[in-house]
Amino acid sequence: MRPEHCVTRNHIAVWQERVLPSGPARITFGMVLRGSLLPILVWSGAACFAYFVYNPLVATVLGGLFTLSFIVGFALRRMAKHSVRCSVYGALGGALDKSMAGV
């Protein structure tokens, strides 16, 4: 895959499409985070709720699940010959996107 085409909207779909540029363009880390505000708030809220209501161990398990989904997404993208940057952005966007499936 050519490096100049790796980090484009064609390869990384963040949760809210409205923050993306209209055509193929390089995606910044800020765009990935801005497009994923709702999933980030849901993950953070669930971790805080679990920490205060149940136990810090439960919040750690939730963080581990998120980290595991990020690592799997990163590894799959690297095996598909994406760049490291594209893999990081895609794994973060993918983990947040897949966690909000059905919402």
Side-chain angles (χ1 to χ4, degrees):
M1 181 171 305
R2 295 174 50 195
E4 63 269 17
H5 295 295
C6 192
V7 185
T8 65
R9 77 179 286 129
N10 298 330
H11 291 83
I12 298 172
V14 292
W15 196 70
Q16 294 178 2
E17 296 273 338
R18 64 183 165 185
V19 300
L20 294 173
S22 60
R26 292 182 67 83
I27 303 296
T28 64
F29 189 67
M31 281 186 195
V32 175
L33 292 180
R34 191 173 53 224
S36 304
L37 284 178
L38 180 61
I40 289 170
L41 290 174
V42 169
W43 273 98
S44 300
C48 288
F49 179 78
Y51 181 85
F52 289 113
V53 173
Y54 294 109
N55 192 344
L57 181 62
V58 177
T60 305
V61 169
L62 282 174
L65 286 173
F66 181 80
T67 303
L68 179 67
S69 63
F70 175 82
I71 290 170
V72 168
F74 180 81
L76 289 173
R77 283 170 177 78
R78 287 299 291 159
M79 286 190 299
K81 306 288 189 229
H82 288 262
S83 69
V84 173
R85 180 180 177 171
C86 181
S87 297
V88 169
Y89 291 1
L92 178 61
L96 293 169
D97 177 44
K98 299 305 182 237
S99 67
M100 296 298 291
V103 174

